[in-house]
Amino acid sequence: MAQPTPRIIKETQNLAKDKVQGIEVTPNPANFKHFFVIISGPPNTPYEGGVFDVELLLPDDYPMSPPKCVFNTKIYHPNIDNLGRICLDVLKDKWSPALQIRSILLSIQVLLSSPNPDDPLNNEAANLWKANEAQALMKAREFTLKYAKKH
């Protein structure tokens, strides 16, 4: 079986030692390229109080290619579709091998605080965000209360 690269070992150790507020990362003991992530909804957002289950997978050629991240918790957000896929520049064309798992998780956390309806993956949510932000925020809050398990 393949062994983790020194980089993956170091990043995993750093994530365990220097925790990111609002984010819990647990490496899958059976697969060093698979991480279970819990992201707490940021304060003063419709996601506040929610707990979002995310999985992060490192590709075989990491860090040359970005990790794959998927929300397992249903969420109403213009940049996250109903399959949990995330539209985020650092997971696509803005990826750089200089970035780390930590920077990706922080970017996802920021995305929850600052949705970008101009680069949507969920067109319905993006259109509502643009047409009636208050209603979109209400709907996002409803999804959080219904689907994001509490602390």
Side-chain angles (χ1 to χ4, degrees), residues 2-119:
Q3 294 297 308
T5 63
R7 161 127 179 201
I8 293 172
I9 292 169
K10 189 171 188 335
E11 282 195 54
T12 303
Q13 288 171 338
N14 287 344
L15 285 167
K17 185 176 63 186
D18 187 14
K19 299 193 183 307
V20 181
Q21 188 170 352
I23 300 176
E24 289 176 42
V25 183
T26 307
N28 179 343
N31 180 351
F32 66 86
K33 293 181 182 174
H34 182 206
F35 296 83
F36 302 104
V37 181
I38 303 288
I39 298 179
S40 298
N44 306 313
T45 71
Y47 311 108
E48 183 174 12
V51 178
F52 299 90
D53 177 15
V54 178
E55 281 185 75
L56 183 141
L57 289 159
L58 301 177
D60 289 339
D61 63 346
Y62 179 82
M64 301 320 289
S65 297
K68 302 259 182 275
C69 296
V70 177
F71 268 75
N72 291 327
T73 304
K74 200 169 164 75
I75 185 169
Y76 190 77
H77 192 289
N79 310 109
I80 303 167
D81 71 9
N82 61 356
L83 298 176
R85 295 176 299 196
I86 305 166
C87 180
L88 186 62
D89 57 0
V90 292
L91 291 174
K92 300 183 307 189
D93 56 331
K94 296 280 189 284
W95 172 254
S96 154
L99 294 172
Q100 296 186 359
I101 296 168
R102 168 186 301 283
S103 38
I104 294 300
L105 297 175
L106 288 168
S107 296
I108 293 170
Q109 197 175 42
V110 168
L111 190 66
L112 291 179
S113 298
S114 312
N116 179 4
D118 294 321
D119 187 18

